[in-house]
């Protein structure tokens, strides 16, 4: 399959990735929030059962994920915006494409704002924030311009590091765990829990970029496998990250923390040599943040080019720069951590559920209707 | 090289300089590294006395010792600053020391007893939030004033105060006479907890400590820089000096030992000027009482946190003879806690299994005889149970659940709102708590039976 000659599709140099690279990209894009306030936010909602939210929310996401994959498989070589255009018309495609881009700009922008605050608080307190943002987005732009394949390979390496870091954190912190922190077993109660599982499907919002990455998969049918692995790995990774934070900082202490996972690593002490385990966390954290930003920039740029039906590689590079600049602006405009958390966890993610639960299913339904109509047309005599 | 590669190289080189923060670098020699920090109530309500023990690295190198030109130099200096907050104290200390004060390597947070009894909640939060503080820095309570402890806080065996703090903390594993270091983060978690109460080890001045003449006359020696404060404390007492107990040992029951005291009461002469023993009990952020060393051991046993310790159990075959005892050692204890709840009434059953070895029995009875094993085991069980019951009573009276029974009570609820509404910590004082010990003697030592009493001596006694 070639991506270069389709209308609305771009040729990105070396633009083919396997399902493992795609999974890694989505895994990093979905799980980097565990480095920030995500565990605390989920703890506020689900109390002692916060660890279960990623798992049950994944189960609740099955319908729209299935619809998304079905639609992508039915239109190999096309991205979700192009599919929307062919099934629902150009206005719907423009509207969906715009929302898709804004969401991704919001995701990366608020995450960058959180990272900026975190770095400014603990790692580089005297370095000017603008310099950090500019440096970060320079790296992100540089990686993004090199295309999906390069990004996919980098993501695969960083995903291994991130998973390894979490495994190491688990092992090294296990003697400090307080399992009683997971009691009472139903946390805030069944009603609030079910509501949380439903609304927090939005934590898988970051899987939606498969809609624009699918055409770059070497095998078009791999989109299903990619989504299954990405969601499964994200569920396990996020659940474990939240669990570690919960048993280290029993509810309600966890609610107050901004970067609980970083705090966990700061508590690990293995003699004088290994007492600064956060020095291991920080590089992996920063690498993950760079990959996260790059995936966001690439997904947004691909979404924007598809929405605007632009097809020149040079245009894509220009759009990548513009998107990265927009994200930089969002990161700087969010003036403090509290606002970044509110913007992300109280506005962006929860309200995205509406899009996730309707759009893929609507596309799937439209595809079915179009198929039936086509069959009837074909069956009719003459 | 292409222009692009040049550009990238230049960006990387510039970035390397900028990212490393070269424009606002701080040299190691420009920083005063605080090794321990203590807080006391200030001279006026609303003020805080912050004492910092700051290492003098050049004197720590190579074991320190006097420098020929400048005379004896201290391994550390202490500075006490009165301010409304600890943060201001750091700034004020920097003005005095001429260096930026850093808490990155602080090894201990010490709170004076009076301050702890008022309320530590706000201060603990402030400490925990400060970015230089690591959550794994130990917290302790000072019997008396933290500033006094930090001015003499040195062992004759260690050069560095921080090294001493690390090694003294390790004695928890060998003795069980104080709780394993409570960390800043644990303390803060417990202050917020609805299921258990905070607690801290207690650090006190040794019972034989007397301020030296230089300290009574011209202020603390450590802070003057004229003399090492550790050297002002006589590590080896003078010939003829005797231990002067601060408690009336004559009032002790035959089963009571000096491990059943608080640190400042331990009859001791020489050695180091401080003792770490016992546990401070808290209700929320307020300190409400203390436990002795022996009582602390039973708390640790009930929580499965006890590692090692030796006990002198009264000889069950010679009840009227306090000079005879079973010297036994225990390694670990397995505790099973069962909780039942009927409305507001909570019933707790604590079953503790202790594996015991004879270490140095001081007795005339042959306890290596298998028929005597149940007798010895019962004596050990009774001894430990009596201490545990007394400790539980003390904690219930203080309203401080340092046993973490609340974690078990939580398991009887399905949801958090139900548990919170139950308000366990207010029910703890009225909970019915039953205890049982099961001792198992596994090793009898290297000798069988007591020393033989020759028939002639028996005859002489008769």
């Amino acid at each position: 399959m070639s991506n270069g000659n389709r209308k609305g599709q771009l040729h990105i140099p070396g633009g083919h990735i396997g399902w493992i690279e795609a999974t890694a990209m989505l895994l990093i894009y979905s799980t980097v929030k565990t480095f920030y306030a995500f565990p605390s936010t989920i703890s506020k909602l689900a109390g002692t059962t916060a660890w279960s939210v990623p798992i049950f929310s994944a189960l609740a996401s099955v319908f729209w994920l299935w619809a998304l994959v079905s639609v992508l498989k039915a239109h190999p070589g096309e991205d979700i915006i192009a599919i929307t255009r062919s099934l629902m018309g150009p206005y719907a495609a423009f509207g969906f494409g715009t929302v898709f881009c804004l969401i991704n700009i919001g995701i990366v922008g608020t995450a960058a704002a959180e990272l900026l605050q975190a770095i400014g608080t603990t790692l580089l307190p005297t370095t000017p924030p603008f310099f950090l943002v500019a440096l970060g987005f320079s790296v992100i732009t540089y990686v993004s311009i090199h295309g999906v394949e390069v990004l996919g390979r980098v993501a695969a390496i960083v995903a291994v590091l991130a998973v390894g870091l979490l495994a190491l954190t688990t092992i090294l912190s296990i003697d400090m765990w307080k399992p009683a922190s997971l009691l009472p077993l139903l946390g805030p109660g069944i009603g609030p829990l079910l509501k949380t599982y439903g609304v927090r499907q939005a934590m898988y919002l970051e899987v939606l970029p498969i809609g624009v990455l699918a055409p770059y998969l070497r095998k078009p049918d791999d989109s299903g496998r990619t989504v299954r692995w990405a969601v499964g790995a994200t569920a396990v990774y996020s659940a474990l990250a939240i669990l570690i934070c919960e048993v280290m900082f029993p509810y309600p202490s966890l609610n107050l923390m901004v970067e609980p996972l970083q705090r966990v690593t700061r508590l690990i002490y293995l003699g004088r040599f290994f007492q600064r385990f956060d020095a291991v966390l920080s590089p992996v954290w920063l690498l993950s943040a760079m990959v996260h930003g790059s995936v966001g920039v690439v997904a947004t740029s691909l979404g924007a080019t598809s929405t605007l039906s632009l097809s020149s590689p040079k245009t894509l590079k220009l759009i990548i720069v513009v998107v990265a600049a927009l994200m930089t602006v969002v990161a700087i405009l969010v003036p403090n951590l509290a606002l970044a958390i509110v913007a992300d966890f109280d506005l962006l993610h929860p309200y995205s559920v509406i899009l996730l639960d309707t759009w893929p299913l609507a596309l799937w339904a439209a595809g079915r209707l179009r198929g039936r109509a086509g069959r009837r047309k074909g069956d009719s005599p003459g | 090289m292409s222009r692009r590669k040049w550009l990238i190289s230049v960006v990387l080189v510039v970035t390397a300089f900028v990212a490393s923060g070269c424009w606002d670098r701080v040299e190691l020699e420009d920083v005063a590294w605080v090794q321990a920090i203590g807080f006391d109530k200030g001279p006026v309500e609303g003020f805080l006395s912050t004492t910092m023990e700051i290492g003098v690295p050049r004197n720590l190198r190579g074991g320190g010792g006097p420098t020929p030109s400048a005379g004896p130099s201290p391994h550390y200096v202490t500075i006490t600053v009165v301010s409304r907050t600890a943060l201001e104290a750091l700034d004020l200390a920097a003005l005095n020391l001429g260096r930026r004060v850093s808490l990155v390597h602080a090894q201990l947070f010490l709170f004076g007893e009076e301050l702890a009894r008022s309320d530590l909640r706000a201060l603990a939060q402030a400490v925990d939030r400060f970015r230089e503080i690591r959550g794994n820095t130990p917290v302790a309570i000072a019997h008396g004033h933290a500033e006094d402890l930090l001015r003499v806080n040195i062992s004759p065996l260690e050069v560095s105060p921080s090294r001493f703090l690390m090694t003294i903390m390790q004695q928890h594993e060998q003795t069980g006479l104080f709780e394993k270091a409570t960390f800043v983060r644990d303390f803060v978690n417990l202050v917020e907890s609805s299921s258990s109460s905070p607690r801290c080890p207690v650090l006190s001045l040794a019972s034989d400590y007397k301020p030296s003449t230089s300290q009574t006359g011209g202020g603390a020696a450590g802070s003057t820089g004229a003399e090492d404060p550790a050297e002002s404390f006589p590590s080896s007492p003078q010939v003829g000096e005797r231990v002067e107990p601060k408690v009336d040992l004559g009032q002790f029951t035959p089963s009571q030992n000096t491990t059943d005291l608080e640190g400042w009461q331990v009859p001791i002469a020489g050695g180091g000027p401080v003792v770490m023993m016992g546990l401070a009990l808290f209700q929320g952020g307020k300190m409400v009482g203390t436990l002795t060393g022996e009582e602390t051991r039973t708390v640790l046993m009930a929580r499965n946190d006890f590692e090692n310790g030796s006990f002198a159990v009264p000889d069950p075959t010679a009840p009227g003879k306090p000079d005879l005892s079973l010297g036994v050692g225990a390694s670990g204890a397995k505790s099973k806690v069962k909780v039942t709840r009927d409305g507001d009434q909570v019933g707790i059953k604590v079953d503790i299994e202790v594996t015991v070895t004879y270490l140095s029995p001081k007795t005339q009875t042959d306890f290596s005889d298998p028929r005597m094993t149940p007798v010895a085991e019962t004596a050990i069980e009774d001894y430990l149970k009596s201490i545990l019951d007394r400790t539980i009573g003390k904690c219930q009276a203080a309203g401080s659940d340092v046993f973490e029974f609340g974690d078990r009570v939580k398991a009887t609820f399905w949801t958090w709102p139900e548990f919170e509404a139950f308000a366990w910590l207010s029910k703890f004082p009225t909970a019915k708590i039953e205890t049982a010990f099961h001792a198992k003697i596994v090793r009898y030592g290297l000798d069988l039976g007591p020393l033989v009493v020759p028939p002639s001596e028996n005859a002489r006694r008769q």
Side-chain angles (χ1 to χ4, degrees):
Chain A
M1 186 198 78
S2 166
N3 299 312
N5 299 323
R6 285 178 197 281
K7 195 179 177 186
Q9 292 296 320
L10 285 169
H11 172 73
I12 293 187
H16 288 95
I17 48 173
W19 70 272
I20 292 176
E21 288 91 340
T23 301
M25 287 165 76
L26 297 180
L27 176 68
I28 295 282
Y29 199 46
S30 306
T31 57
V32 89
K33 52 185 178 279
T34 55
F35 286 109
Y36 307 122
F38 178 69
S40 314
T41 310
I42 298 296
S43 169
K44 273 180 212 157
L45 295 166
T48 53
T49 39
W51 63 272
S52 68
V53 174
I55 293 166
F56 287 99
S57 291
L59 295 177
S61 310
V62 162
F63 293 110
W64 68 263
L65 287 169
W66 169 81
L68 178 67
V69 170
S70 300
V71 168
L72 291 173
K73 281 186 175 175
H75 300 81
E78 284 187 77
D79 66 39
I80 191 166
I81 296 163
I83 296 168
T84 305
R85 188 178 295 116
S86 65
L87 292 176
M88 294 182 170
Y91 294 111
F94 183 78
F96 174 72
T98 307
V99 172
F100 176 82
C101 293
L102 289 177
I103 283 176
N104 282 293
I105 289 172
I107 288 173
V108 177
T110 51
E114 277 194 72
L115 176 69
L116 191 61
Q117 296 286 334
I119 291 178
T121 305
T122 53
L123 299 178
L124 299 167
T126 55
T127 306
F130 180 76
F131 170 74
L132 294 173
V133 175
L135 183 66
F137 276 102
S138 305
V139 175
I140 287 169
T141 309
Y142 182 76
V143 173
S144 304
I145 279 177
H146 276 74
V148 176
E149 188 172 350
V150 170
L151 179 57
R153 289 179 183 182
V154 172
I157 295 167
V158 175
V160 170
L161 292 177
V163 171
L165 174 80
L166 191 71
L168 206 56
T169 307
T170 308
I171 293 164
L172 296 179
S173 65
I174 211 157
D175 67 316
M176 292 185 276
W177 287 16
K178 297 188 189 314
S181 311
L182 305 178
L183 299 170
L185 283 173
L186 291 181
I190 288 186
L193 261 185
L194 290 177
K195 187 184 161 196
T196 304
Y197 294 152
V199 174
R200 291 295 151 175
Q201 289 174 51
M203 65 175 285
Y204 296 101
L205 173 65
E206 282 89 342
V207 177
L208 198 59
I210 187 66
V212 291
L213 293 175
Y216 298 94
L217 287 169
R218 284 195 192 97
K219 293 179 188 169
D221 277 354
D222 274 350
S223 54
R225 187 194 271 188
T226 303
V227 168
R228 273 200 305 279
W229 276 94
V231 171
T234 301
V236 173
Y237 186 100
S238 305
L240 185 58
I242 295 173
L243 183 85
I244 294 171
C245 296
E246 272 196 275
V247 289
M248 293 287 284
F249 310 116
Y251 180 83
S253 293
L254 177 58
N255 293 4
L256 303 173
M257 293 184 179
V258 175
E259 302 124 21
L261 204 58
Q262 194 206 24
R263 284 223 170 179
V264 170
T265 59
R266 279 168 70 93
L267 289 177
I268 291 170
Y269 183 91
L270 284 179
R272 290 183 182 187
F273 176 72
F274 215 45
Q275 62 179 308
R276 305 273 163 179
F277 186 62
D278 43 327
V280 179
L281 172 110
S282 301
V284 180
W285 181 14
L286 293 176
L287 282 172
S288 301
M290 292 301 107
V291 171
H292 176 263
S294 304
V295 173
V297 166
V298 165
T300 311
S301 305
L302 291 175
T305 50
S306 184
T307 305
L308 301 171
S309 298
L310 301 169
S311 56
S312 154
K314 278 191 177 173
T315 316
L316 176 63
K317 288 184 180 177
L318 181 67
I319 285 181
I320 283 175
V321 174
V322 172
V323 166
L326 274 174
M327 288 173 175
T328 310
V329 169
V330 174
I332 293 170
L333 280 184
V334 179
N336 60 53
L337 186 64
L339 205 63
I341 293 168
V342 169
D344 194 6
F345 293 108
D346 290 345
L347 297 170
L348 185 61
H349 271 85
Y351 288 104
S352 299
V353 167
I354 300 165
L355 180 78
L356 296 176
D357 278 345
T358 55
W359 207 259
L361 287 164
L363 282 179
W364 175 80
R368 296 280 293 177
L369 287 173
R370 176 71 63 90
R372 271 188 205 169
R375 274 200 300 277
R376 271 206 295 275
K377 217 174 187 179
D379 291 345
S380 62
Chain B
M1 199 184 279
S2 70
R3 191 204 275 180
R4 194 171 152 195
K5 284 183 180 172
W6 264 109
L7 188 68
I8 291 169
S9 306
V10 168
V11 168
L12 285 175
V13 169
V14 171
T15 304
F17 280 106
V18 173
S20 59
C22 286
W23 73 81
D24 58 353
R25 73 197 183 281
V26 180
E27 301 292 346
L28 285 177
E29 291 80 11
D30 296 343
V31 179
W33 304 103
V34 174
Q35 301 203 336
I37 186 164
F39 302 100
D40 287 297
K41 272 200 154 185
V44 177
E45 189 62 35
F47 283 87
L48 198 64
S49 254
T50 306
T51 303
M52 285 155 265
E53 191 175 86
I54 297 163
V56 183
R58 69 191 149 87
N59 293 339
L60 293 172
R61 195 174 47 209
T67 51
S69 56
S73 303
H75 298 128
Y76 63 94
V77 293
T78 60
I79 178 168
T80 303
V81 182
V82 174
S83 60
R84 284 209 186 269
T85 66
L87 213 52
E88 287 167 317
L90 296 184
D91 284 351
L92 294 171
L95 295 182
N96 177 270
L97 295 165
R99 285 189 180 196
R100 199 189 119 202
V101 178
S102 171
L103 299 181
V104 169
H105 291 286
Q107 295 283 344
L108 177 72
F109 283 88
L110 195 61
F111 297 100
E113 189 172 342
E114 194 188 352
L115 180 70
R117 285 189 186 273
S118 61
D119 198 348
L120 286 184
R121 191 181 294 268
L123 185 57
Q125 188 206 352
V127 166
D128 185 49
R129 283 192 76 156
F130 190 45
R131 65 182 164 78
E132 285 187 2
I133 308 300
R134 302 182 79 81
N136 56 6
T137 309
V139 173
I141 296 299
H143 173 76
H145 288 91
E147 58 187 333
D148 290 341
L149 263 298
L150 292 179
R151 285 170 189 165
V152 298
N153 185 4
I154 189 87
S155 154
L157 302 180
E158 307 295 347
V159 173
S160 146
S162 63
R163 168 86 186 141
F164 167 62
L165 292 168
M166 284 167 74
T167 54
I168 200 169
M169 291 290 179
Q170 290 164 7
Q171 302 318 305
H172 147 84
E173 291 165 25
Q174 299 308 317
T175 65
L177 289 170
F178 61 90
E179 170 151 13
K180 185 166 69 177
T182 306
F183 299 123
V184 171
R185 193 57 239 172
D186 290 338
F187 188 78
V188 173
N189 287 345
L190 287 168
V191 166
E192 291 185 302
S193 174
S194 303
S195 55
S196 339
S197 304
R199 61 268 170 174
C200 283
V202 181
L203 201 61
S204 30
L205 285 172
S207 61
D208 63 330
Y209 180 79
K210 293 181 189 74
S212 69
T213 46
S214 65
Q215 282 188 314
T216 48
S223 56
T224 61
E227 191 187 343
D228 189 333
E231 286 163 14
S232 67
F233 179 79
S235 299
S236 296
Q238 297 287 321
V239 174
E241 265 188 49
R242 299 284 174 264
V243 175
E244 295 169 17
K246 288 204 169 176
V247 287
D248 184 2
L249 297 177
Q251 299 294 313
F252 269 32
T253 62
S255 65
Q256 239 181 319
N257 210 325
T258 46
T259 50
D260 204 8
L261 294 172
E262 292 179 34
W264 61 276
Q265 297 170 320
V266 175
I268 200 165
V274 297
V275 177
M276 184 172 255
M277 191 159 103
L279 197 67
L281 307 176
F282 280 78
Q283 216 183 66
K286 283 187 181 182
M287 182 179 159
V288 287
T290 49
L291 296 181
T292 65
E294 206 76 337
E295 289 166 345
T296 304
R297 281 174 166 171
T298 56
V299 172
L300 298 177
M301 284 179 171
R303 287 214 320 254
N304 281 320
D305 283 339
F306 178 79
E307 293 183 53
N308 291 294
S310 52
F311 301 87
V313 178
D315 186 342
T317 59
K321 294 186 175 175
D323 56 319
L324 298 183
S325 63
L326 293 174
V328 295
S331 297
K334 281 184 191 166
S335 159
K336 282 182 189 165
V337 179
K338 280 185 185 169
V339 171
T340 52
R341 188 169 53 83
D342 182 16
D344 272 3
Q345 189 59 51
V346 175
I348 299 172
K349 265 187 150 183
V350 186
D351 270 285
I352 302 175
E353 281 180 29
V354 203
T355 306
V356 177
T357 25
Y358 283 133
L359 287 181
S360 75
K362 193 177 146 195
T363 175
Q364 282 301 309
T365 309
D366 182 5
F367 280 99
S368 64
D369 182 341
R371 287 170 297 181
M372 292 305 289
T373 301
V375 178
E377 286 175 343
T378 306
I380 294 165
E381 288 164 3
D382 291 346
Y383 172 77
L384 292 173
K385 181 178 160 48
S386 69
I387 295 171
L388 178 60
D389 288 344
R390 189 219 306 165
T391 310
I392 288 173
K394 223 169 164 178
C395 292
Q396 283 188 306
S400 181
D401 177 14
V402 293
F403 293 92
E404 297 183 347
F405 290 142
D407 285 342
R408 309 294 176 135
V409 177
K410 263 202 293 189
T412 65
F413 291 90
W414 283 107
T415 68
W416 181 267
E418 286 170 6
F419 173 66
E420 236 179 4
F422 182 70
W424 156 246
L425 291 174
S426 69
K427 308 282 190 312
F428 172 64
T430 54
K432 284 184 182 167
I433 304 173
E434 292 171 33
T435 60
F437 267 92
H438 306 284
K440 191 180 175 193
I441 296 172
V442 289
R443 282 187 289 274
Y444 288 79
L446 299 174
D447 288 310
L448 293 171
L451 296 182
V452 172
V453 181
S456 55
E457 193 174 330
N458 267 335
R460 201 166 53 233
R461 281 181 188 171
Q462 285 162 8

